[in-house]
Amino acid sequence: MEGVGVMGLYVRDQDEALSFYVDKLGFRVHTDVSNGGYRWLTVQHPQQASFQLGLFVPGPLVHDPATAQAAHALVAKGAMPPLVLTVADCRAAYARMRAAGVEFTQEPVDRFGTVDAGFRDPSGNGWKMIQQRGAA
């Protein structure tokens, strides 16, 4: 076994998600291909070439209409498990991302020997941004 290569997120609109992750968070496109009505879209953090974040819309080929609707509702409510973005300086990243239009749910807070903040993507997926221990 080589490890996890792709982790998928459900998003309501792939173009909106792509803009958010690339333009606001600084990720880059890894793969963007379509086959019929299905689009395989993945992005990468510039410092993690071996890992891709999939931006997928619940729906045909994977889900029946009722399941797709339920998945959209859970994501929009922020009910999916949060993801974690590590940064060297949480306060500086917060300022840069806020200036780029990222809406935060929690400003940077000192706790557990580090600093963390919270934000959500346009679809409702929650993120924790945590400063690496000993950084900044």
Side-chain angles (χ1 to χ4, degrees):
M1 193 178 332
E2 297 296 321
V4 177
V6 178
M7 193 294 218
L9 287 181
Y10 290 136
V11 298
R12 66 177 171 215
D13 178 280
Q14 286 177 303
D15 290 326
E16 175 185 54
L18 181 61
S19 177
F20 178 81
Y21 284 94
V22 171
D23 299 337
K24 294 184 179 182
L25 298 189
F27 285 58
R28 62 179 175 232
V29 176
H30 180 274
T31 305
D32 189 355
V33 295
S34 295
N35 184 6
Y38 186 78
R39 181 178 180 191
W40 181 267
L41 175 61
T42 65
V43 295
Q44 288 180 309
H45 187 279
Q47 296 173 4
Q48 286 184 297
S50 66
F51 182 77
Q52 299 170 52
L53 183 63
L55 306 174
F56 305 124
V57 174
L61 299 182
V62 179
H63 304 99
D64 62 79
T67 302
Q69 184 178 10
H72 277 292
L74 285 171
V75 171
K77 290 179 180 180
M80 304 305 285
L83 296 119
V84 176
L85 180 67
T86 56
V87 295
D89 183 332
C90 188
R91 287 183 175 80
Y94 169 83
R96 183 180 66 257
M97 291 166 58
R98 193 159 179 239
V102 175
E103 293 183 31
F104 280 80
T105 56
Q106 173 206 314
E107 294 181 3
V109 174
D110 290 288
R111 67 172 134 210
F112 308 119
T114 189
V115 181
D116 70 80
F119 64 94
R120 291 174 71 186
D121 74 9
S123 297
N125 291 296
W127 281 87
K128 270 298 197 189
M129 181 169 61
I130 300 176
Q131 183 170 305
Q132 297 170 347
R133 290 190 187 276

